[in-house]
Amino acid sequence: MQINDILNIRVKAIDQQTVEILNPVGDTSLNADSAERAYFDGFTVDLHGNIRIPTLGHLNVLGFTTEEIEKIIEEKLLEDQFKETANIFVTVKLAGLRYTANGEVARPGSQVLFSERVNIFEAIANVGEILITGNRKEVKIIRQYPQGQKIHSLDLTDVNVMKSPYYYIQPNDIIYVEPLRQKSIGTGETAVSSIATIASILSLLTTGILLFTRLN
């Protein structure tokens, strides 16, 4: 888990009333979409990497997987409040994978995908693919770490990208697709027009120089 991640935590037991305080009550009554319910009902990882759970207090989850957090909570409950016979069952899910895509993509902006794992191709496809002006060899992943942001590069034309540790995006990643160098003069028909314009200017300059030479 990372800072600002939101977790959905559910605790079940034989006597469900004994774990009611641990489960959000707004998931059925709140008139909101899934993303909003996750925000109100979920447990947000704070700047110290902790989540605050009723009766359990603060638990550090920074760097742990959802499966590891399930075990931590279950062990804590059995140690402090319940016995094995209570048959405690804990589920922890990431409440949507939020990321932002900018640069040469069809629909820049923030997105939320309700999936545990999303690779770079799926994330980009969700924002309408890379434009013709985008550089598929220079896709940046700006990732949050406890010590600050780091920038990683991916070459989406290289099959080995699937072996990259940054192939799967993480919550709060920023994906930036750099423009191709030729975008400055255009691509396709625009490039032809730009070249034709430059040629016309050069022709006019040459004519002017010749006229000036003749007059002098």
Side-chain angles (χ1 to χ4, degrees):
M1 291 300 110
Q2 296 183 354
I3 293 169
N4 294 325
D5 283 353
I6 300 177
L7 301 177
N8 275 335
I9 299 174
R10 295 292 184 272
V11 181
K12 295 182 180 180
I14 291 178
D15 183 0
Q16 194 61 23
Q17 288 186 342
T18 62
V19 294
E20 276 187 354
I21 192 173
L22 298 168
N23 296 312
V25 295
D27 56 342
T28 55
S29 61
L30 185 64
N31 184 21
D33 61 24
S34 298
E36 290 173 332
R37 284 201 302 271
Y39 176 79
F40 287 108
D41 292 346
F43 298 87
T44 302
V45 182
D46 66 20
L47 294 176
H48 303 288
N50 298 321
I51 55 174
R52 185 168 177 265
I53 301 178
T55 75
L56 292 183
H58 289 87
L59 294 179
N60 191 276
V61 297
L62 196 63
F64 291 96
T65 65
T66 53
E67 290 83 4
E68 290 170 335
I69 297 170
E70 286 173 353
K71 291 180 181 178
I72 291 171
I73 295 173
E74 187 174 315
E75 289 173 0
K76 190 74 173 173
L77 286 171
L78 290 174
E79 178 184 335
D80 296 348
Q81 301 178 34
F82 297 93
K83 297 180 180 180
E84 293 285 349
T85 52
N87 284 341
I88 296 295
F89 183 75
V90 180
T91 59
V92 177
K93 297 288 183 183
L94 194 61
L97 197 158
R98 181 181 294 276
Y99 69 98
T100 301
N102 282 316
E104 303 302 303
V105 294
R107 297 191 302 274
S110 296
Q111 303 287 333
V112 178
L113 294 177
F114 294 96
S115 177
E116 290 289 325
R117 277 162 65 91
V118 177
N119 65 49
I120 185 66
F121 292 107
E122 292 170 328
I124 290 176
N126 192 57
V127 293
E129 294 295 349
I130 296 175
L131 301 176
I132 191 173
T133 51
N135 189 350
R136 295 175 180 271
K137 293 187 176 183
E138 283 294 335
V139 176
K140 306 295 186 185
I141 302 290
I142 304 170
R143 183 160 293 175
Q144 302 285 344
Y145 294 94
Q147 64 271 27
Q149 290 183 334
K150 289 185 179 180
I151 301 175
H152 310 287
S153 295
L154 290 176
D155 180 354
L156 301 190
T157 66
D158 186 351
V159 68
N160 290 317
V161 70
M162 292 185 290
K163 299 177 183 178
S164 169
Y166 315 112
Y167 178 65
Y168 288 98
I169 68 169
Q170 293 185 9
N172 307 310
D173 273 358
I174 299 173
I175 302 169
Y176 177 71
V177 181
E178 291 194 349
L180 292 165
R181 290 183 181 179
Q182 56 263 44
K183 187 185 178 184
S184 58
I185 63 169
T187 57
E189 293 181 3
T190 308
V192 173
S193 300
S194 299
I195 293 168
T197 302
I198 293 169
S200 298
I201 293 170
L202 289 174
S203 177
L204 288 171
L205 287 172
T206 303
T207 303
I209 291 169
L210 289 173
L211 288 172
F212 179 79
T213 302
R214 289 175 183 174
L215 290 172
N216 292 276

